[in-house]
Amino acid sequence: MVWRKKKAAVSKEDIYMETQWQLVWRKFKKHKLAMLGATILLILYMVGIFSEFFATQDIAKRSTTAISMAPTKIHFVDEEGDFSLIPFVYGLKQEEDPVTWRKYYTEDTSRKIQLRFFYKGDSYKLLGLIPGDIHFFGTPEPDVFFPFGTDASGRCLYSRVLSALRISLTTGLVGVFFTFILGCIFGGISGFYGGIADTIIQRIIEFLMSMPSIPLWMALAAAFPSTWSSLQTYFAITIILSLIGWTALARVVRGKLLELRNEDFVTAARVSGATDGYIIRKHLLPSFSSYLIVNVTLAIPTMILSETSLSFLGIGLTPPIVSLGVLLQDAQSINTISMYPWMMIPGLFVVIAVLAFNFVGDGLRDAADPYK
């Protein structure tokens, strides 16, 4: 009993000796939804970054025998009731509705095709650099296995969604990086110096915040040269989102610096000869860094939604770049959704990613005050 009390006391003392980030991590781990969100994001980013390996085939490969096909069913039990440890799919056969003349696909139960892991398939370049042809799973027989179905061109939607994750999720990260830098710089100058600098920056912020988003995006997207490559357009969209999205963070940073700039530790830094830039960078911004991290975490899903909305409307990323918004362009009509509901699967990944980021943001917000 005495040993247990002593151990608890030591543990409590250790907690008070930990750094701020150790305390934040300790409390963050106790937030179950935040840990779930972090796990989901880790999986999504890993699958997106190495999408060529996890995809079942090349994203541009078209199948003339599987156009607008529903997702393939994976089986463990065959028609005769025999169980198999190795999952398998059935072959496909095309049929036609005699009334609507619509073509559809049914399973050919006479052909059992086992799924294989780490099999040799379509060649690719991992991250555009490392050549390879090994895929995580799939079937050696082509045009029979499409986990998310196919689009109107017969392309594997599953492989395209994985590739789209890399673009859409990195757009959020890159965009928030620029937003964070611009927000901290202009918000820091505005809050620390005040006066004419504060007036000019605040009027610029009010002007940007008063502009309607969609018309502004349309005007900027129309200004892109048609000769630009898809990669150049991608970075241009990211920078534009950053130039529009930094205003809210700048106002928060300004308010915090107005509150802290006359504190004793700032006066002590001035007396010791520290420059204004050093005080802002090393003393003021770190004093509420937990809040900045939470703000950035919650801003990433906003960036992802913005890119998805732009691309869905046709004024953002365009083919051959594959993003979640670009894929959702195929699901713009009610007829398409009713006949081919699997075309909405990219939208499901948007929802999952945004919820995961919000869970992580909530966890960081709660963990920012570890002693609470």
Side-chain angles (χ1 to χ4, degrees), residues 173-199:
L173 287 180
V174 176
V176 166
F177 172 78
F178 287 114
T179 297
F180 181 79
I181 297 298
L182 292 173
C184 288
I185 290 175
F186 289 108
I189 293 173
S190 180
F192 188 79
Y193 291 104
I196 187 65
D198 182 32
T199 302

Side-chain angles (χ1 to χ4, degrees), residues 179-195 197-198 201-202 205 246-261 266 270 276-286 288 292:
T179 297
F180 181 79
I181 297 298
L182 292 173
C184 288
I185 290 175
F186 289 108
I189 293 173
S190 180
F192 188 79
Y193 291 104
D198 182 32
I201 291 174
Q202 292 309 305
I205 290 175
W246 63 271
T247 53
L249 179 61
R251 283 202 158 179
V252 172
V253 172
R254 171 183 178 269
K256 290 290 186 180
L257 262 64
L258 286 174
E259 178 185 347
L260 297 172
R261 65 181 182 179
V266 178
R270 282 200 183 101
D276 292 343
Y278 183 87
I279 292 174
I280 294 174
R281 189 176 68 256
K282 294 292 186 179
H283 295 286
L284 290 175
L285 291 179
F288 58 98
L292 292 177

Side-chain angles (χ1 to χ4, degrees), residues 73-212:
K73 296 179 181 179
I74 301 176
H75 300 272
F76 286 91
V77 180
D78 61 17
E79 291 293 315
E80 298 176 357
D82 296 330
F83 177 79
S84 173
L85 289 175
I86 302 176
F88 64 90
V89 297
Y90 287 116
L92 300 173
K93 55 183 178 180
Q94 189 181 84
E95 297 185 3
E96 187 176 277
D97 191 313
V99 178
T100 62
W101 292 359
R102 176 187 169 190
K103 295 181 180 179
Y104 61 95
Y105 301 88
T106 58
E107 293 181 335
D108 182 3
T109 56
S110 63
R111 296 169 55 206
K112 287 175 56 176
I113 305 166
Q114 289 185 338
L115 295 184
R116 294 184 181 179
F117 291 89
F118 304 102
Y119 81 105
K120 188 174 182 180
D122 294 337
S123 60
Y124 57 81
K125 282 192 174 181
L126 194 64
L127 300 176
L129 300 172
I130 306 172
D133 56 7
I134 302 300
H135 296 260
F136 178 62
F137 76 112
T139 58
E141 187 173 334
D143 301 341
V144 293
F145 181 54
F146 302 101
F148 292 167
T150 61
D151 60 14
S153 299
R155 295 172 297 192
C156 178
L157 188 59
Y158 168 78
S159 301
R160 292 174 67 78
V161 166
L162 297 191
S163 180
L165 283 174
R166 176 163 56 193
I167 299 296
S168 294
L169 295 182
T170 54
T171 297
L173 287 180
V174 176
V176 166
F177 172 78
F178 287 114
T179 297
F180 181 79
I181 297 298
L182 292 173
C184 288
I185 290 175
F186 289 108
I189 293 173
S190 180
F192 188 79
Y193 291 104
I196 187 65
D198 182 32
T199 302
I200 293 174
I201 291 174
Q202 292 309 305
R203 298 298 81 77
I204 293 174
I205 290 175
E206 290 168 1
F207 173 74
L208 290 176
M209 295 182 72
S210 66
M211 296 184 69

Side-chain angles (χ1 to χ4, degrees), residues 336-353:
T336 301
I337 296 174
S338 61
M339 295 174 63
Y340 314 113
W342 56 89
M343 299 305 296
M344 289 295 295
I345 290 178
L348 177 62
F349 279 86
V350 175
V351 174
I352 292 173

